[in-house]
Amino acid sequence: MRTLNGAQIVVESLKAEGVEVIFGYPGGAVLSLYDALYGEEEIKHILTRHEQGAVHAADGYARATGKCGVVFATSGPGATNLVTGIANAYMDSVPLVAITGQVASGLIGKDSFQEADITGITQPITKYSYLVKDVKDLARIMREAFHIATTGRPGPVVVDLPKDIAAAETEFIYPPEVNLPGYKYIYNGITANLTQAVKAVNQAERPVIYAGGGIIAAGAHEELIAFAEKINAPVTTTLMGKGAFPDVHPLALGMPGMHGTAYANYAITDSDLVIGLGVRFDDRVTGRLDMFAPNATIIHVDIDPAEISKNIRADIPLVGNVREVLADLLKEVEPRQHQAWLDKVEQWRRNHPLNYDQDNEVIKPQYVVEQICDITRGEAFIATEVGQNQMWAAQFYQCKYPRRFISSGGLGTMGFGLPAAIGVQLAHPDSVVFNIAGDGSIQMNSQEFATAVQYGLPIKVAILNNHYLGMVRQWQELFYDRRYSYTHMEGGPDFVKLAEAYGAQGMRVERPEDVRPALERAMAAPGTFVIEFIVDEEENVFPMVPAGGAINKMLGGGKR
């Protein structure tokens, strides 16, 4: 047994968990943690330029690998700067351990310099938050933190470490097992409900599979493909589930909901069975609840029992790991054809495709996304910002594989994409990583260009510059009589000069015929490359379901 101080115990615990990369920003309360990291060869620390950048980078790393992301921050403002990123990970069920510094134990509760009650602040947005009170508990807490973050429904855990606990010493023994009697999760669906689900699948005439991020978290994409092909049902994938089912598969319907494809929304509305797999039936997908799949039986598979019937009443609930449940369903369901149903869906697809009009004068943002998809063959890692750029990326990038479309779904966090792309590129240094951004969102964390350049990351950043907060402007156009109140981004930076100021390469593209050559140049460049595409200022994202409307009543969705 070795005697270590608290900071050294944290580092040894990270090594015991197999952590290879952490993201963070030092400060006074975590000096001993950073001292423990000095000269450490097994763990690489990435110094971001803002704590929010660090937590999004850890989030992106986790999404792209399936491993637990780790972030360090100091006390007070350092810790509170993590809050948005922690909430972001919580909403999207991303495994994350955030280790924050805290003032010394005797100073807690006295409004001490750089003190913030981060365990209290993060309690509603974490699976659990620890305040370490005794160094003898630290190894156990670290073991539990990783266990909680990565099991059941994944999510963030905070470990808040007071300065004196980090300096205190004790013998280090890393617990081989976790004993948390109050923390339980179910891996397999209840047998009786499985039987009901099999019967419903075998009897359905118009089934639709509605797959979400739970498929990716569970590593169930192969089971999903096999299940869909066996019962011959069309598959719609949420923003979080993008890549769980290949967008190029004949049964793929794309994304449902507010900016989903018309044919996905029509199929759900007319279905007699919706098989929800690792989804939470969020309001952006369901729209008006009483009009969501009004004639369908609902099967809902989720590892979190709190999700069952939270938004939509599940007729057949199946609490469990979706991969395990799918494997059980696959054994029992009968092969089906559903040709008449598939023909109807295909007719909707032909009559109501995603489309846009690209002329020779002004670049359409959808065209840029399509060209990125074409030049990368749908095999790149795509990190998006939030807004119109995000929806166009989801609509027009044909993703083939899971964990390659990295986007802030539940919280819709502007400024997520660039730091997330940093985490993704570090996880996959030899892969092509694109950050698809808007001119508003990229400015939320544009300081992270410095991080990308410092670590030599060849991230390609495509900024769709429409000089607006585009999605807000779209709502103002459609629902507020074009009263564009404070959404025009006057005084924006010269993104080419901004990229160059950080040491990246940058170029501006203003003509449609220059889009492809610019992408080819960026792909060939060895380092961080920023392309500012000047796009149509008032292009909108269609189809669009107005908030609270039925999903089969879309603006720009055409008539059935």
Side-chain angles (χ1 to χ4, degrees), residues 303-320:
I303 200 164
D304 185 354
E307 290 301 306
I308 303 294
S309 297
K310 184 174 78 177
N311 298 320
I312 291 284
R313 184 181 180 279
D315 298 297
I316 304 174
L318 284 164
V319 177

Side-chain angles (χ1 to χ4, degrees), residues 208-212 234-238 251-257 261 264-265 268:
V208 172
I209 296 172
Y210 163 38
V235 180
T236 180
T237 45
T238 68
L251 291 172
L253 296 181
M255 190 169 65
T261 62
N265 288 342
I268 288 175

Side-chain angles (χ1 to χ4, degrees), residues 47-50 53 385 417-419 421-422 435 437-439 441-457 459-463 493-506 527-532:
L47 174 64
T48 59
R49 297 305 186 268
H50 192 289
E385 301 291 344
L418 176 58
I422 289 172
N435 170 215
D439 54 308
S441 192
I442 193 71
Q443 293 184 66
M444 290 277 185
N445 273 314
S446 59
Q447 77 283 348
E448 301 305 337
F449 282 133
T451 307
V453 171
Q454 177 181 345
Y455 294 98
L457 304 178
I459 298 167
K460 316 306 175 190
V461 181
I463 301 174
D494 181 325
F495 287 107
V496 176
K497 290 182 178 177
L498 182 66
E500 292 172 348
Y502 281 114
Q505 293 186 67
T528 308
F529 201 107
V530 179
I531 316 173
E532 179 187 16

Side-chain angles (χ1 to χ4, degrees), residues 191 193-204 207 209 223-233 273 275 277 299 301 316 318 324-338:
T191 304
N193 290 4
L194 270 172
T195 301
Q196 287 184 53
V198 169
K199 183 178 179 182
V201 171
N202 288 342
Q203 292 179 345
I209 296 172
E223 286 80 2
L224 173 61
I225 294 171
F227 180 67
E229 291 178 343
K230 185 170 184 179
I231 68 169
N232 221 15
L273 177 68
I275 308 168
L277 303 171
I299 297 174
V301 182
I316 304 174
L318 284 164
E324 301 292 329
V325 175
L326 265 179
D328 289 341
L329 287 172
L330 256 173
K331 294 175 189 172
E332 301 296 331
V333 297
E334 299 168 357
R336 301 295 304 276
Q337 289 305 315
H338 305 302

